[in-house]
């Protein structure tokens, strides 16, 4: 997605955590542009959950990003979970 917009993050996170969360959001965007591998999405999501373990915080970050990027983080993660091992998929 070509449009530039701020990705949600917390000032309490380390530089590494901010980069990891940004990589998660980037793979979500990629899933709407081209096929991405199930394992890539789920690995980035697992790391995101280590940084943001609270379900309510996760929902807030997802909502903020979804609105700005016109994507659905949760639907993308759900679609990844449905895929067979090694499969790539693209969101429509």
């Amino acid at each position: 997605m070509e449009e530039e917009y701020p990705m949600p993050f917390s000032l309490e996170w380390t530089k590494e955590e901010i980069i990891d969360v940004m990589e998660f959001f980037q793979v979500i965007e990629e899933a709407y542009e081209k096929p991405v591998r199930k394992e890539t999405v789920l690995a980035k999501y697992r790391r995101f959950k280590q940084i943001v373990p609270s379900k309510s915080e996760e929902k807030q970050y997802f909502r903020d990003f979804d609105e700005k990027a016109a994507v659905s983080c949760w639907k993308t993660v759900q679609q990844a979970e449905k895929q067979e091992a090694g499969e790539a998929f693209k969101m429509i």
Side-chain angles (χ1 to χ4, degrees), residues 18-70:
I18 292 170
I19 290 169
D20 290 344
V21 167
M22 289 179 71
E23 287 176 353
F24 168 71
F25 288 129
Q26 287 171 340
V27 81
I28 297 298
E29 283 183 312
E30 285 176 25
Y32 282 82
E33 298 169 355
K34 62 183 182 182
V36 293
R37 291 179 52 95
K38 164 193 179 121
E39 293 81 4
T40 303
V41 174
L42 296 181
K44 300 289 184 191
Y45 178 64
R46 280 191 296 275
R47 177 62 181 138
F48 175 85
K49 287 305 292 174
Q50 290 173 340
I51 299 165
V52 184
S54 163
K55 195 68 168 170
S56 64
E57 283 183 71
E58 173 187 322
K59 286 180 180 181
Q60 185 59 51
Y61 286 117
F62 281 11
R63 191 169 23 255
D64 289 348
F65 186 73
D66 291 354
E67 289 173 6
K68 292 172 186 161

